[in-house]
Amino acid sequence: MLANTKATAKQRFMEFLSRKSLRVTAQRQAIIETVFSTDKHFTAEQLLEWSRERDRSVSRATVYRTLPLLTESGLVREMDFGKDCKFYDPNYAEHPNHNHIICQDCEKIVEFESDKIARLEDEISHKLGFAIKTQRLQITATCEELKKLGACKHKSG
Amino acid sequence: MLANTKATAKQRFMEFLSRKSLRVTAQRQAIIETVFSTDKHFTAEQLLEWSRERDRSVSRATVYRTLPLLTESGLVREMDFGKDCKFYDPNYAEHPNHNHIICQDCEKIVEFESDKIARLEDEISHKLGFAIKTQRLQITATCEELKKLGACKHKSG
DNA sequence: ATCAATGCAAATAATTTGCAAAAAG
DNA sequence: CTTTTTGCAAATTATTTGCATTGAT
């Protein structure tokens, strides 16, 4: 079997830190491990809570100071789902070009990738004189259950 | 010449208010006229300032209470450009399906429409069991100037 | 008349920041 | 040793809300 040459998200973030001469503290490690051991979207507050389960010494300030590093690295992306606070998506390390479908009522979120859409985006952007750096497609929809039953069985609350 | 049967954005919003038995106050009129006489994206604070130029009695609270009505009507959409506060886009009355390209450095914003992308979105959503309600595509890019010169001549500041 | 809408000022809530102490390289 | 990072608590900032009053229908 060939050696796995693909760096993990955690390793890639460590390299990012090192490239910027930033230090690997215990608190940062707890945060990083939390972020890259889930594929769920999370808020700053959730990240604080989960990180504290690994290391009680993680403070809210450190979480808020680390989040911009994570987004700057490109491995995590800030998401606006129209809620009161921002969510963060850790799946950009694995799937740098994925899109989101958000169910209006049950708030289920499905991620998908589409080369066809990506190609059209490139083509159109180029025609308009731009070179794409990142892209974000969010679709708000209703799911089958909702359409058929008038209410979505996954509805929370 | 045939009569113009297409309702203006302002008229459509008035109908929205009426449908919900909401009242047409002087302050709301100032806000509505402000919103639908520009195609620029604006913040709540800018909307307050501009509306006050039409009617000094418009208060911040009323602006914040009116914005959700505007977005609920579908004629205006809340936009997250990664800034400290939200922007609002009044062009959804005219172009209900448009997308955005944001230049990373000069912050120029270009709007465009694409039936091809819209069709793909529908198709993919349907396959995944969803029916699209709204869609939002934001592309972050660099513009020609930036690519060629290393800095964008439209750069603000 | 009735009930929605207003301004104001106080409240809320997410995020940021100054600072002295602690820790990484 | 030097410089970054930390936690804490205070500060900031966008947005929301309670309330008495005003105004639209």
Side-chain angles (χ1 to χ4, degrees):
Chain A
M1 205 207 292
L2 292 173
N4 184 356
T5 54
K6 189 172 174 182
T8 64
K10 183 177 166 182
Q11 286 167 343
R12 290 165 66 188
F13 188 67
M14 294 299 207
E15 282 156 26
F16 170 87
L17 289 180
S18 152
R19 225 176 304 131
K20 306 204 72 172
S21 313
L22 299 174
R23 291 169 184 178
V24 179
T25 63
Q27 293 86 347
R28 274 183 187 158
Q29 287 193 68
I31 293 170
I32 296 163
E33 271 160 27
T34 302
V35 166
F36 295 119
S37 65
T38 185
D39 59 359
K40 282 208 262 292
H41 303 146
F42 52 82
T43 64
E45 200 60 28
Q46 286 174 317
L47 180 54
L48 170 65
E49 190 183 311
W50 299 342
S51 300
R52 275 192 162 158
E53 286 168 14
R54 293 178 186 259
D55 182 339
R56 300 288 323 155
S57 79
V58 174
S59 73
R60 185 170 282 106
T62 296
V63 166
Y64 276 107
R65 283 166 177 143
T66 304
L67 278 168
L69 298 175
L70 286 160
T71 56
E72 197 189 333
S73 76
L75 300 170
V76 170
R77 278 258 274 281
E78 202 175 284
M79 293 275 118
D80 170 27
F81 294 128
K83 298 309 191 114
D84 39 358
C85 64
K86 289 164 192 151
F87 279 75
Y88 295 86
D89 179 340
N91 301 330
Y92 283 87
E94 293 289 327
H95 301 283
N97 237 45
H98 73 266
N99 306 300
H100 292 87
I101 301 184
I102 301 112
C103 178
Q104 263 186 344
D105 294 74
C106 70
E107 312 211 329
K108 184 166 53 186
I109 295 175
V110 172
E111 305 190 336
F112 71 92
E113 288 175 282
S114 166
D115 289 345
K116 283 186 189 172
I117 290 180
R119 261 195 297 279
L120 282 168
E121 289 170 358
D122 267 329
E123 189 187 302
I124 293 168
S125 299
H126 187 75
K127 272 189 198 148
L128 293 170
F130 292 93
I132 292 195
K133 289 302 167 191
T134 65
Q135 148 279 2
R136 157 184 329 215
L137 170 60
Q138 294 185 347
I139 293 173
T140 304
T142 54
C143 59
E144 288 294 340
E145 288 93 330
L146 184 64
K147 273 194 298 177
K148 286 185 194 137
L149 310 174
C152 181
K153 69 184 178 193
H154 297 100
K155 188 152 186 165
S156 58
Chain B
M1 206 206 291
L2 291 174
N4 184 355
T5 55
K6 190 171 174 182
T8 65
K10 183 177 165 180
Q11 286 167 342
R12 289 167 67 188
F13 187 66
M14 293 298 210
E15 283 157 25
F16 171 86
L17 289 181
S18 153
R19 224 175 304 131
K20 306 204 73 173
S21 313
L22 299 174
R23 293 169 183 176
V24 179
T25 63
Q27 293 86 348
R28 272 183 188 160
Q29 287 194 67
I31 293 170
I32 297 163
E33 272 160 26
T34 303
V35 166
F36 295 119
S37 64
T38 185
D39 60 358
K40 281 208 262 294
H41 304 146
F42 52 82
T43 64
E45 200 60 28
Q46 286 173 316
L47 180 54
L48 171 65
E49 190 182 311
W50 299 342
S51 300
R52 276 192 161 158
E53 286 169 15
R54 292 178 188 260
D55 182 339
R56 301 285 327 151
S57 78
V58 175
S59 73
R60 184 170 282 107
T62 296
V63 166
Y64 275 108
R65 283 167 176 142
T66 303
L67 277 167
L69 298 175
L70 286 160
T71 56
E72 196 189 333
S73 76
L75 300 170
V76 170
R77 278 259 272 282
E78 202 176 285
M79 292 276 118
D80 170 27
F81 294 128
K83 298 310 191 115
D84 39 358
C85 64
K86 289 164 193 150
F87 279 76
Y88 295 86
D89 179 341
N91 302 330
Y92 283 87
E94 293 289 326
H95 301 283
N97 236 45
H98 72 265
N99 306 298
H100 293 87
I101 301 184
I102 301 113
C103 178
Q104 263 187 341
D105 295 75
C106 70
E107 313 212 329
K108 184 166 53 185
I109 294 175
V110 172
E111 303 190 337
F112 71 93
E113 288 175 283
S114 166
D115 289 344
K116 284 186 189 172
I117 290 181
R119 262 195 297 279
L120 282 167
E121 289 170 357
D122 268 327
E123 188 187 304
I124 293 169
S125 300
H126 188 75
K127 271 188 198 149
L128 294 170
F130 292 93
I132 293 196
K133 290 302 168 191
T134 63
Q135 148 279 1
R136 156 185 331 218
L137 170 59
Q138 294 184 347
I139 293 172
T140 304
T142 54
C143 60
E144 287 293 339
E145 287 94 330
L146 184 64
K147 274 194 298 178
K148 286 185 194 136
L149 310 173
C152 181
K153 71 183 177 193
H154 298 100
K155 189 153 187 164
S156 59

